[in-house]
Amino acid sequence: MRHFLAAAIALSITAPAAAGELPNGVASGDVTANSAVIWARAAVSGRMKFEIATGKNFKSYIGTAINVSDTAVPHKFHATGLLPDRIYEYRATDAAGNRSAGRFRTLPQTCATSDVRFGVSGDWRGEIAPYPSIRNVPDRGLQFFVELGDTIYAERYSGPETGIVASTLADYRARHTEVLTARYGMNTWKDLRATTPVFAMIDDHEVVNDFAGGAAPGTDPTRFDQTGNFINETNRYKAGMRAFSDFMPIVDQTWSSADPRFNGKPKLYRSRILGKTAMFAMVDARSFRDTELPGVTDLTNTTEITNFLVASATQARTLLGGDQLAQLKADLLDAKARGIQWKFVMLPEPVQNLGVLAASDRYEGYARERNDLLKFIADNAIDNVVFVTADLHGTMVNNLTYDVGNTRLASKAWEIVTGAVAFEDPFGPTIVDLAKQVGLIDNSQYTYYLSLPTAPDADATVNDKDDFVASVINSSMSGLSYDPLGLAGSNVPAKLTKGGYEAMHSYGWTEFAINAKSGKLTVTTWGIAPYGYDDLQSNARNQILARKPAIVSQFEVNAAAVPAGNCRGAN
């Protein structure tokens, strides 16, 4: 407390009578053991005040006042000099007295041995807010929540519909405002961000679908202006990234690099140490990638499939970019040297092999770099590595294999693809419709799928919708010798306790909880029945808003023993 008081700034603040809450509430994020960012958007112009304290009475606090000239633009306060593993109260008050308050907990210091609990999800479309699938997050006692990409959809907007894809800074800000604004008396993102610090990452829809930031603008001339040498230097990219940074409680950082693809560009890569129990690295898979390979269009054409696989495995193409890949490897090695037990790599795009259909956009389409990363983890005996990804709008778990020459090897790393907060069509129905279109299933099989219940279970018997979708995916991968979905029969010491390793017919999020004493990781996916925009306009609205997340999948994984290492002091 003495340290906190010494850091306090003696601001004399007399707020006018509170007129109400701020338009999008408040948020905290980018936490470390000693710092945090707090965020708010004012309802009126004038001076907005930020305060952080160790108690709700705010007798002693640190803070700042910021002049607001444009109420469309949020503001942030980066608080430093905080204490590790400490709960802080905070609030923001605008010039009219509108006020919102929240709380956050700083991360544990490096050498601490403590339990870890956090949540992850991605993919939410603005027009199907207010997202009851995450309503239980504030009650779960999480240390933080990761917003893992597609935090808006630039192509869709449910305000005055213009049919125009977002391309200007004002457009992108409107999409973010839509996501964070109350609808039908509910604002689950506001509730989550006020109670749980967030870390945030882009995927593609923060700018435009399937863009490749490291490619030349000339590779995508209809969607990007021809400014600069890379798409990540175009005005459209800069507008999308500026809006993302505006609406997320994150510290603005840039890369300093000899590589012009990176130098001066936004640095969203984050790594954090959570005591000796865990670390995570959050990776930008969009801003520095090479353009995609042409996708396979005919699944019966073995020549086309072979050409795609060979090109992906042999061409020197990057998903992460050299600087970012090197940083990730260095952080994983550092975690091993420190004796940290669990290592999480959070990447918006799936890592596991799922077959050549639509593979160009995934790490499967950059197989040479994917193999290099997984081989690096195996060669350096970095145990307990979990890839946490998103984008597919459904939950799928699998062990990860990689290729050395013509030999496929099982790594000890594994992946969970987390489902969508809300996307309109979950992965299950989407993949079945696609399988029908390309001839992987016939009309009778499609009709059988529609007749099945949504009831995830541990067996592989095709008696529910998730089993059916898993069987379609596994069948499409069989000719490629890829491992089937799930961890059963793999070298990952996992045990299902509820549902299955797939949950592809719900909206929701995934919780990761580590018992520091036993090292056991429990992975729980929470979900609700999906719905669409039209459903919210119908008589079903109240029933949808009342939905409460329930456990749709849960499994446990025992940690492999790791060397004691050297924690090397505080964060």
Side-chain angles (χ1 to χ4, degrees):
M1 184 66 181
R2 185 177 303 164
H3 177 81
F4 180 81
L5 291 173
I9 301 172
L11 295 178
S12 177
I13 296 178
T14 304
E21 290 201 8
L22 298 173
N24 307 129
V26 289
S28 67
D30 230 350
V31 291
T32 70
N34 308 112
S35 67
V37 175
I38 59 174
W39 172 102
R41 185 171 72 86
V44 298
S45 58
R47 289 174 69 78
M48 182 163 63
K49 303 154 190 174
F50 290 97
E51 303 162 89
I52 301 178
T54 53
K56 290 185 177 181
N57 58 19
F58 286 86
K59 286 185 177 180
S60 299
Y61 58 86
I62 61 174
T64 192
I66 297 172
N67 188 58
V68 176
S69 57
D70 184 352
T71 57
V73 184
H75 290 273
K76 297 182 274 193
F77 170 47
H78 186 200
T80 58
L82 308 181
L83 296 176
D85 202 17
R86 181 71 63 92
I87 293 176
Y88 288 92
E89 306 289 335
Y90 69 97
R91 63 190 184 189
T93 310
D94 71 10
N98 300 296
R99 173 180 289 171
S100 293
R103 64 167 49 188
F104 64 86
R105 189 181 198 117
T106 50
L107 299 182
Q109 62 187 11
T110 301
C111 298
T113 301
S114 57
D115 294 347
V116 168
R117 186 183 297 269
F118 62 90
V120 183
S121 194
D123 308 280
W124 48 95
R125 279 168 48 172
E127 79 273 23
I128 49 179
Y131 318 118
S133 64
I134 55 171
R135 72 188 312 156
N136 66 327
V137 173
D139 301 325
R140 295 302 301 164
L142 306 180
Q143 289 163 287
F144 57 89
F145 191 93
V146 177
E147 301 184 33
L148 197 54
D150 289 344
T151 57
I152 61 167
Y153 276 78
E155 300 85 354
R156 297 176 174 90
Y157 182 55
S158 60
E161 186 57 61
T162 63
I164 299 174
V165 177
S167 60
T168 68
L169 181 55
D171 293 340
Y172 289 118
R173 283 174 173 164
R175 295 331 193 247
H176 284 282
T177 300
E178 175 189 39
V179 165
L180 295 173
T181 298
R183 182 175 290 180
Y184 313 125
M186 182 184 290
N187 193 336
T188 54
W189 271 121
K190 178 179 76 70
D191 297 340
L192 186 158
R193 286 164 43 121
T195 57
T196 310
V198 299
F199 290 90
M201 178 55 68
I202 66 162
D203 189 14
D204 52 343
H205 292 284
E206 286 83 2
V207 179
V208 69
N209 186 41
D210 290 354
F211 79 92
T219 63
D220 201 348
T222 62
R223 301 194 301 174
F224 287 95
D225 53 278
Q226 299 303 294
T227 307
N229 296 315
F230 305 100
I231 284 175
N232 66 23
E233 293 176 345
T234 63
N235 293 324
R236 186 175 197 171
Y237 171 87
K238 290 177 180 178
M241 294 297 286
R242 179 69 263 165
F244 176 81
S245 177
D246 285 344
F247 279 82
M248 298 298 170
I250 59 176
V251 179
D252 291 337
Q253 298 177 338
T254 56
W255 289 92
S256 178
S257 172
D259 183 348
R261 187 181 299 205
F262 278 85
N263 193 45
K265 309 306 190 301
K267 185 177 183 179
L268 298 180
Y269 180 94
R270 294 290 189 273
S271 63
R272 294 289 188 271
I273 294 171
L274 311 172
K276 287 188 65 82
T277 308
M279 66 80 68
F280 74 86
M282 192 166 63
V283 182
D284 181 352
R286 281 290 164 191
S287 294
F288 311 106
R289 67 160 67 188
D290 290 319
T291 192
E292 298 174 4
L293 289 172
V296 173
T297 58
D298 182 357
L299 295 180
T300 66
N301 188 327
T302 57
T303 300
E304 187 181 11
I305 292 171
T306 299
N307 289 342
F308 175 85
L309 293 173
V310 170
S312 180
T314 59
Q315 291 183 9
R317 299 168 56 258
T318 184
L319 184 81
L320 305 184
D323 284 19
Q324 192 171 215
L325 180 61
Q327 184 67 64
L328 174 58
K329 289 179 177 180
D331 286 339
L332 289 171
L333 283 177
D334 179 68
K336 178 187 176 182
R338 291 175 182 269
I340 294 174
Q341 194 164 52
W342 286 96
K343 300 92 176 172
F344 297 92
V345 180
M346 299 180 185
L347 193 155
E349 297 293 326
V351 176
Q352 62 188 271
N353 288 324
L354 292 168
V356 296
L357 186 61
S360 296
D361 192 53
R362 306 191 300 268
Y363 225 155
E364 202 160 357
Y366 300 78
R368 176 170 163 167
E369 183 175 278
R370 177 189 180 278
N371 285 334
D372 172 73
L373 176 57
L374 292 175
K375 185 176 184 297
F376 172 86
I377 292 169
D379 288 350
N380 287 280
I382 305 173
D383 289 327
N384 306 320
V385 176
V386 184
F387 285 81
V388 183
T389 63
D391 190 55
L392 293 186
H393 315 144
T395 298
M396 286 174 287
V397 184
N398 207 347
N399 59 297
L400 298 175
T401 62
Y402 63 99
D403 297 322
V404 176
N406 294 321
T407 303
R408 180 161 294 131
L409 301 175
S411 74
K412 294 181 181 179
W414 53 277
E415 177 189 34
I416 176 169
V417 182
T418 58
V421 169
F423 181 75
E424 186 83 37
D425 295 312
F427 184 72
T430 300
I431 201 67
V432 171
D433 287 342
L434 186 58
K436 183 172 179 288
Q437 291 173 23
V438 300
L440 289 177
I441 62 173
D442 58 26
N443 287 333
S444 64
Q445 291 170 305
Y446 184 76
T447 301
Y448 178 62
Y449 163 77
L450 295 178
S451 73
L452 292 170
T454 301
D457 58 25
D459 62 54
T461 304
V462 183
N463 54 10
D464 65 70
K465 282 186 165 66
D466 285 306
D467 288 333
F468 184 96
V469 178
S471 71
V472 171
I473 295 171
N474 290 336
S475 175
S476 70
M477 296 192 300
S478 61
L480 301 171
S481 301
Y482 292 165
D483 283 5
L485 295 176
L487 298 178
S490 74
N491 58 1
V492 179
K495 181 180 73 171
L496 273 169
T497 57
K498 188 164 186 178
Y501 287 117
E502 306 87 30
M504 298 181 280
H505 295 81
S506 58
Y507 296 159
W509 64 282
T510 299
E511 177 181 320
F512 299 81
I514 305 170
N515 183 300
K517 185 176 181 180
S518 68
K520 181 177 290 184
L521 167 64
T522 301
V523 181
T524 306
T525 294
W526 299 86
I528 64 168
Y531 60 90
Y533 179 79
D534 290 342
D535 297 321
L536 287 172
Q537 314 312 308
S538 73
N539 293 333
R541 178 193 300 161
N542 290 338
Q543 183 270 331
I544 292 169
L545 298 180
R547 291 175 185 171
K548 296 181 180 180
I551 297 174
V552 294
S553 171
Q554 187 175 69
F555 60 95
E556 300 171 344
V557 185
N558 292 316
V562 297
N566 177 8
C567 68
R568 298 200 297 279
N571 289 20

